[in-house]
Amino acid sequence: MGILPEPSLPLPTPTNGSPVTNVAHIRELDHRAFTLDASGFAGFFGGDGAAESVATVHLVKWRRWLGWYNAPGLFEIVRQYGGLIASKGASSLFPVIRSIKSRDPATIFGLDGQHGPRFIASYAGSEFLGCGHLAHLLARRVRHSHLVSRLIVIPNVRRKIPQYNVTTMDLSLELPEPETRPPMLKNKQVFFAILPIIGSLVATIYCAYIADWYCCASIALGAVANGLACLQLGSGRLTFRHPAPRDGAPPGDGIFILEGRAGVIVVRGSEGAVSSLTLGQYYLDFPEDPRVRYLLTGICMAILVVNCMVQLLFIPQGTLAGQSVFVASLALSWLYNHVLALDKEDMQTDILLGEVLHLQEQDVKKFAFGTRTAMVVFTVLSLWPPSPDKLLDALLPNNTPVWQRWREVLVKQLRAAPFKGLRFDKEHWEIPEFDSSSQKLLHDLFVDAEEAYGAWCKYGRKPDV
């Protein structure tokens, strides 16, 4: 008795009756069994990185031409830079830009708008309760990073750990040009944009190879939209302007008073050089007519919005392989925008100090003191103002009898002609009206003043003083 063969399962057949190949069956499973819906975050995820990347197109050379990659968060570019389209029609077409408060290009790109520290001029007597964006950049550099190669620590007998800083800057440039276009920075890091550009190109070719035209079109349109946005938004040229100084104006020496224990910045130089920090501004000059610029920028914003809509509709229709490649191109672009991100304010500061003011490393010194009293005395000595009372009152507003006595003795010795230095004896702090604790405090304050004077004689004294 023979063994009957097992019945074979019939192959699935299409409507025309021909067998379905294994490849077609896999594609059917690829399309129907699982869908990686990346469209929900493609246009919105990573928006901060995309906007920050576009903000550097005016600062770094070649950055404007290296935006041809499919980046996430392109809708954020419309939200942040849509204010460049100054028309009612654009506000109706793109309601998201109605919430943008400023229409000034420099403010929109973060080149203006920040408030700087308080400034007091030691010779002119003028005072600015809050300076502008350039003073903010200088204070940020001094506060958060090292402006000089080494920090000079002034020892203190009472406090071993220095807590208060004084940064001195000598601006050798007599008068910067009233309007100048500083050269853009050269940064090799910007050429890493080749990686996401190649990644987007390979992803587009691969999607075309597997006939996933939905993902292919989405990746290609994203790269074109981002590239056109960088090209158009980067057409403006960074320009520095500051008001011309008055004829016969005194030196512009003065101090920036920073918050907390960050200390002060002593700035010495001509009126024109110092006013570059207190009154100077960054602007953006665009070569084309404003109406043409509005039109071209509007077209770029429209392409960005269309790109987000296309990705929202097309990506769910693509294959799993195409969706995976699409997400990979976004991940590579996100990595470039964040890990290799260039800080725009750091670059603005480099241009200001290096290309506008031509500041050299030897022109800047940073000192650390153990007490605020020593910091204040060193600051006054570094400026040598005709009237030190104003600086002392601004930096040490204490109004107790002990502080009044200390300030009176200090100012008297500073105004002595000829100046013989700061030397204090028992007669200066052993005051019958003060008890022992007040006399001890007064003695410590005079010791701080002598330490500051010694540091000034060693590091900061001018030859003619």
Side-chain angles (χ1 to χ4, degrees):
M1 185 175 178
I3 299 175
L4 297 176
E6 295 182 1
S8 60
L9 297 177
L11 290 173
T13 58
T15 56
N16 58 9
S18 62
V20 179
T21 63
N22 291 334
V23 175
H25 186 57
I26 292 175
R27 286 187 176 180
E28 182 179 1
L29 292 176
D30 181 38
H31 181 70
R32 295 182 180 179
F34 181 79
T35 298
L36 179 62
D37 186 1
S39 60
F41 65 88
F44 307 95
F45 171 75
D48 292 340
E52 287 295 321
S53 179
V54 173
T56 62
V57 293
H58 310 100
L59 306 174
V60 183
K61 195 173 183 180
W62 304 113
R63 174 63 188 87
R64 176 191 177 193
W65 307 94
L66 296 174
W68 304 98
Y69 53 87
N70 182 34
L74 295 183
F75 188 78
E76 184 67 17
I77 298 178
V78 180
R79 195 186 70 82
Q80 290 203 19
Y81 304 111
L84 297 171
I85 316 172
S87 66
K88 295 182 180 179
S91 300
S92 302
L93 185 60
F94 308 118
V96 68
I97 69 176
R98 295 177 186 172
S99 59
I100 301 176
K101 298 180 180 180
S102 176
R103 302 288 179 176
D104 175 50
T107 304
I108 291 176
F109 280 97
L111 299 169
D112 196 16
Q114 295 290 343
H115 298 285
R118 178 185 176 190
F119 178 80
I120 300 177
S122 59
Y123 286 92
S126 57
E127 180 177 350
F128 300 94
L129 296 180
C131 295
H133 185 81
L134 301 187
H136 158 76
L137 296 177
L138 176 64
R140 179 178 178 270
R141 175 62 60 89
V142 170
R143 186 186 295 112
H144 297 298
S145 64
H146 299 287
L147 191 61
V148 292
S149 57
R150 68 187 183 94
L151 177 69
I152 302 176
V153 179
I154 307 302
N156 183 270
V157 295
R158 293 188 292 125
R159 297 180 183 176
K160 303 301 181 182
I161 301 177
Q163 304 182 49
Y164 301 93
N165 298 328
V166 177
T167 303
T168 62
M169 299 178 58
D170 292 298
L171 305 179
S172 56
L173 188 65
E174 284 298 323
L175 180 62
E177 294 293 333
E179 179 174 324
T180 181
R181 289 184 175 181
M184 304 176 76
L185 297 176
K186 295 180 180 179
N187 194 315
K188 296 180 180 179
Q189 194 170 326
V190 73
F191 291 103
F192 282 102
I194 297 297
L195 297 178
I197 292 175
I198 295 177
S200 297
L201 180 61
V202 171
T204 304
I205 296 174
Y206 176 76
C207 289
Y209 175 74
I210 64 174
D212 187 345
W213 304 112
Y214 291 108
C215 292
C216 177
S218 299
I219 298 173
L221 181 58
V224 171
N226 189 45
L228 290 177
C230 292
L231 197 63
Q232 172 57 27
L233 297 179
S235 62
R237 285 294 307 274
L238 181 66
T239 305
F240 168 79
R241 299 174 186 168
H242 77 100
R246 301 164 297 174
D247 293 335
D253 300 3
I255 59 170
F256 290 103
I257 303 177
L258 307 182
E259 296 180 356
R261 296 185 175 182
V264 299
I265 305 174
V266 176
V267 183
R268 296 179 294 216
S270 65
E271 172 74 12
V274 176
S275 67
S276 300
L277 295 170
T278 57
L279 300 175
Q281 285 183 295
Y282 279 144
Y283 293 85
L284 282 178
D285 283 341
F286 291 87
E288 63 266 16
D289 182 85
R291 291 173 295 183
V292 177
R293 173 164 58 91
Y294 298 153
L295 175 62
L296 296 178
T297 305
I299 293 175
C300 290
M301 297 296 112
I303 294 176
L304 290 171
V305 173
V306 170
N307 168 73
C308 296
M309 296 176 62
V310 166
Q311 292 180 349
L312 191 65
L313 296 174
F314 279 17
I315 293 302
Q317 309 302 320
T319 63
L320 177 60
Q323 292 173 351
S324 301
V325 171
F326 175 80
V327 173
S329 68
L330 293 180
L332 190 59
S333 302
W334 178 88
L335 190 67
Y336 169 74
N337 287 340
H338 286 77
V339 178
L340 300 175
L342 304 173
D343 190 284
K344 62 181 180 182
E345 290 198 343
D346 283 343
M347 291 185 289
Q348 293 173 24
T349 309
D350 292 339
I351 293 175
L352 172 66
L353 300 181
E355 305 298 339
V356 176
L357 297 177
H358 303 288
L359 200 64
Q360 303 296 324
E361 184 176 338
Q362 62 269 17
D363 298 328
V364 183
K365 297 179 182 178
K366 193 171 185 178
F367 305 89
F369 296 89
T371 64
R372 186 174 182 85
T373 310
M375 179 201 76
V376 171
V377 174
F378 185 85
T379 300
V380 173
L381 290 171
S382 298
L383 289 172
W384 205 258
S387 178
D389 304 78
K390 185 175 182 178
L391 288 181
L392 290 173
D393 291 338
L395 297 173
L396 290 174
N398 307 65
N399 201 29
T400 62
V402 173
W403 285 96
Q404 289 178 351
R405 169 65 180 176
W406 175 82
R407 189 181 294 110
E408 176 186 344
V409 175
L410 179 65
V411 171
K412 183 177 180 180
Q413 293 199 12
L414 289 173
R415 289 178 172 175
F419 176 68
K420 299 180 180 180
L422 298 181
R423 296 290 184 268
F424 307 100
D425 301 321
K426 290 184 178 181
E427 62 181 15
H428 294 121
W429 64 79
E430 290 184 353
I431 308 300
E433 298 85 34
F434 294 159
D435 56 21
S436 58
S437 60
S438 298
Q439 292 181 8
K440 176 65 168 56
L441 173 60
L442 191 57
H443 168 264
D444 292 340
L445 296 178
F446 284 131
V447 170
D448 292 342
E450 288 184 347
E451 290 179 353
Y453 172 71
W456 176 72
C457 291
K458 184 176 181 180
Y459 298 106
R461 185 168 189 170
K462 296 180 180 180
D464 55 343
V465 178

